[in-house]
Amino acid sequence: MTDNQNQQMATSSRFGWPKPKRTEEFAKLLASPQGATERVVFQGKTIDIPIVRVPIDLPKYRLVNGRTASLQSEYLAKTPKARIGLFSGDPELWDAQEAQHKLLLQLARQADLAGFFEDTVNQQVNPILLDQNGFVVNGNRRMATWRELLHKEPGKYGHFQHIDIAVLPHCEEREIDRLEARLQITKDIRADYSWDAQANMMLAKQKRDNFSMKELAELYDMKESEVELLFDMRAYAEEFLKSRGKPNHWSMVADSEFAFKKIVAARGKISSVGKQQIFKEAAFILIEKPEEAGIRLYEAIPAVLESIDEVRTKLLEAFAVEPPKDVEAGLADLFGGVPPAAGEDSRDLPLAQEIQKPENVDAARKIIVEVIESQRQLQKDAKSANYLLDCCSKAQAALAAAVKEGLRPESKLDGVIKQLEAIKAQSDTVRAYVEQHAKH
């Protein structure tokens, strides 16, 4: 479909009037506003923007939309026939608006907006906020929901034929970014962004508008360290998706926020680069099929970290990997041209590469899960074995405290003898058991 065909279709589309018609309508309506206003903090001050009523077909969706950042990437990955630059090119084009509409409906279903507005008692309360060109800054999901209901049952949902809007004054894209952050990302957010959508949105803003890390942190009421953590998590998630042949399929990692957070946190706890790679690949293997880990991912991944030596040993037993024939040269290549640090095992990086192969992933996962389970059992056994000693140690400590602090004139003595007799009886029972079962 050519751009001209797209533009022609847009003139009769329910996904927005052409720009000249939109701006003409704004000029006419704002020349004589009705009195109602929407108050927003914008361009460094609080302003009141006139609320006007327009046909629901007039506005267009803003494609630079934080909530749909991940979904757009995934849509393009799953739709190879989609036009290049569908979401990054001309936002006026019909096919881009239609695709964005579908993504917004997907988000609206997650928030059950359709279920809410299907009840005709629930109608519009707050205006949809538009920029000066008629693109929605705040309210994309609501408008998509209303459009869909009206399209399917115009008789029942005729009250959505016209909607209230408020049009922002002339501004730069950075100013809209700041307003979007204030309205949608901060603590008063109405529906949480998925972690990957927030990371992709913030990275896009950094690249498009050249925000520094400090500016991004201030924009979204975060610490710089939190922004850096989010970007590190995104980098690992991107690597994971590419390694599984699913680049940009962000829905695959939307529920794995804590898993990737644990991977980032573990990075500085393993000094060996080779072991770091083994740990990362082991974590990826568990993330791919979390239901087979036996425990939740946020517990399983730290468990791998705690048992990385045991995991490595078992994997080396199962997968026959050999160091490069020219060990020094081979390891230098594997370490990016830098000679490996002292203590690095020349088999570690080849092992990490071996377990990520599709034909080896299931076997590696089974081994990793078995190690986790065996280590957990060992910990339980050790805890059980020390239980008697722990209890006796606590009892002795309590009695020592009683001797040190309790032998004073004002201490209440009633009942103390009875307690001591009970303690002695229990102590005699424990002593008899120990003497009977102690190994000589």
Side-chain angles (χ1 to χ4, degrees):
M1 183 179 295
T2 66
D3 286 357
N4 286 337
Q5 288 173 317
N6 258 312
Q7 196 66 57
Q8 289 171 0
M9 292 184 72
T11 61
S12 59
S13 169
R14 61 190 174 101
F15 302 133
W17 290 7
K19 183 178 178 180
K21 287 187 63 180
R22 296 197 304 271
T23 54
E24 180 184 344
E25 186 71 8
F26 292 158
K28 181 178 69 175
L29 292 171
L30 295 174
S32 54
Q34 300 301 308
T37 60
E38 173 76 353
R39 176 163 288 191
V40 297
V41 178
F42 191 59
Q43 296 177 323
K45 59 184 179 180
T46 301
I47 60 175
D48 290 300
I49 307 174
I51 296 175
V52 294
R53 198 155 180 81
V54 299
I56 196 172
D57 290 348
L58 182 148
K60 282 187 177 290
Y61 300 120
R62 186 167 180 255
L63 302 186
V64 184
N65 182 295
R67 294 189 191 277
T68 57
S70 291
L71 292 178
Q72 288 175 349
S73 297
E74 186 158 353
Y75 179 90
L76 294 174
K78 291 181 176 180
T79 315
K81 293 184 180 180
R83 174 172 57 85
I84 297 175
L86 180 66
F87 297 112
S88 59
D90 187 350
E92 297 282 346
L93 299 183
W94 174 82
D95 59 343
Q97 289 289 315
E98 182 186 39
Q100 184 73 353
H101 177 73
K102 293 177 180 177
L103 299 183
L104 289 167
L105 287 179
Q106 185 176 331
L107 289 174
R109 283 192 293 271
Q110 294 173 8
D112 197 27
L113 289 182
F116 179 78
F117 287 113
E118 280 174 358
D119 185 343
T120 55
V121 172
N122 299 317
Q123 301 188 20
Q124 182 179 12
V125 176
N126 299 311
I128 301 294
L129 197 60
L130 309 182
D131 69 11
Q132 62 179 348
N133 294 316
F135 290 95
V136 179
V137 173
N138 191 45
N140 280 280
R141 293 177 307 154
R142 281 181 290 148
M143 193 175 73
T145 301
W146 300 338
R147 280 176 167 174
E148 196 66 12
L149 290 172
L150 180 64
H151 178 67
K152 290 181 177 179
E153 296 187 65
K156 184 177 180 180
Y157 298 106
H159 51 279
F160 289 134
Q161 187 70 54
H162 288 79
I163 60 172
D164 292 332
I165 65 163
V167 182
L168 292 169
H170 174 74
C171 60
E172 297 179 355
E173 191 70 24
R174 270 180 163 236
E175 293 171 322
I176 293 180
D177 288 339
R178 292 189 176 93
L179 179 61
E180 181 187 46
R182 187 176 299 113
L183 292 174
Q184 298 179 353
I185 297 293
T186 53
K187 295 177 182 178
D188 293 331
I189 186 172
R190 295 182 181 179
D192 291 338
Y193 281 53
S194 64
W195 76 270
D196 57 287
Q198 185 175 355
N200 281 317
M201 173 195 63
M202 292 172 69
L203 185 62
K205 288 189 189 311
Q206 185 185 55
K207 292 179 178 178
R208 187 185 70 245
D209 297 328
N210 199 31
F211 280 108
S212 67
M213 294 293 281
K214 182 179 180 181
E215 287 174 321
L216 279 176
E218 292 173 350
L219 185 62
Y220 293 106
D221 193 22
M222 299 169 67
K223 298 177 182 177
E224 282 189 65
S225 59
E226 292 174 330
V227 178
E228 291 170 356
L229 170 62
L230 192 61
F231 281 6
D232 284 344
M233 291 164 59
R234 183 201 173 278
Y236 277 117
E238 183 178 38
E239 183 180 354
F240 167 76
L241 292 173
K242 288 180 178 178
S243 71
R244 267 54 188 174
K246 298 288 185 180
N248 289 320
H249 284 55
W250 292 101
S251 60
M252 290 177 60
V253 297
D255 295 331
S256 301
E257 175 181 1
F258 292 106
F260 287 103
K261 190 175 291 185
K262 292 293 185 183
I263 294 176
V264 175
R267 185 170 54 189
K269 297 179 181 179
I270 305 175
S271 57
S272 162
V273 174
K275 285 184 182 178
Q276 285 180 1
Q277 289 297 107
I278 293 172
F279 169 75
K280 182 192 70 177
E281 294 302 335
F284 283 2
I285 286 170
L286 294 179
I287 291 171
E288 186 173 11
K289 291 186 178 179
E291 68 280 0
E292 295 187 14
I295 55 177
R296 295 178 181 178
L297 277 178
Y298 69 84
E299 296 175 326
I301 291 176
V304 174
L305 175 63
E306 292 173 5
S307 307
I308 188 62
D309 289 329
E310 292 81 3
V311 168
R312 173 185 171 277
T313 298
K314 291 296 183 183
L315 289 172
L316 281 171
E317 291 174 1
F319 299 99
V321 295
E322 297 292 338
K325 291 182 180 179
D326 185 345
V327 175
E328 291 300 321
L331 278 180
D333 289 340
L334 289 172
F335 282 89
V338 180
E344 291 284 355
D345 192 309
S346 58
R347 297 172 297 171
D348 284 352
L349 287 176
L351 177 63
Q353 294 171 344
E354 190 70 16
I355 64 174
Q356 70 174 281
K357 294 178 180 178
E359 64 269 23
N360 293 333
V361 166
D362 288 339
R365 182 183 300 108
K366 183 178 179 181
I367 292 169
I368 294 164
V369 171
E370 287 176 350
V371 171
I372 291 174
E373 291 177 346
S374 65
Q375 291 299 309
R376 290 179 73 198
Q377 189 59 49
L378 285 173
Q379 291 173 1
K380 287 181 180 179
D381 292 344
K383 186 176 181 180
S384 298
N386 291 325
Y387 185 73
L388 177 61
L389 178 60
D390 290 343
C391 288
C392 289
S393 297
K394 291 175 183 177
Q396 190 276 331
L399 285 173
V403 170
K404 183 178 181 180
E405 303 292 341
L407 302 183
R408 58 183 64 185
E410 66 271 21
S411 294
K412 182 179 178 181
L413 303 179
D414 293 345
V416 173
I417 296 298
K418 186 177 180 179
Q419 293 296 323
L420 289 174
E421 288 174 350
I423 291 171
K424 183 177 183 304
Q426 292 162 349
S427 175
D428 289 343
T429 301
V430 172
R431 178 184 290 275
Y433 180 87
V434 172
E435 290 176 348
Q436 181 182 351
H437 294 85
K439 294 179 180 180
H440 299 289

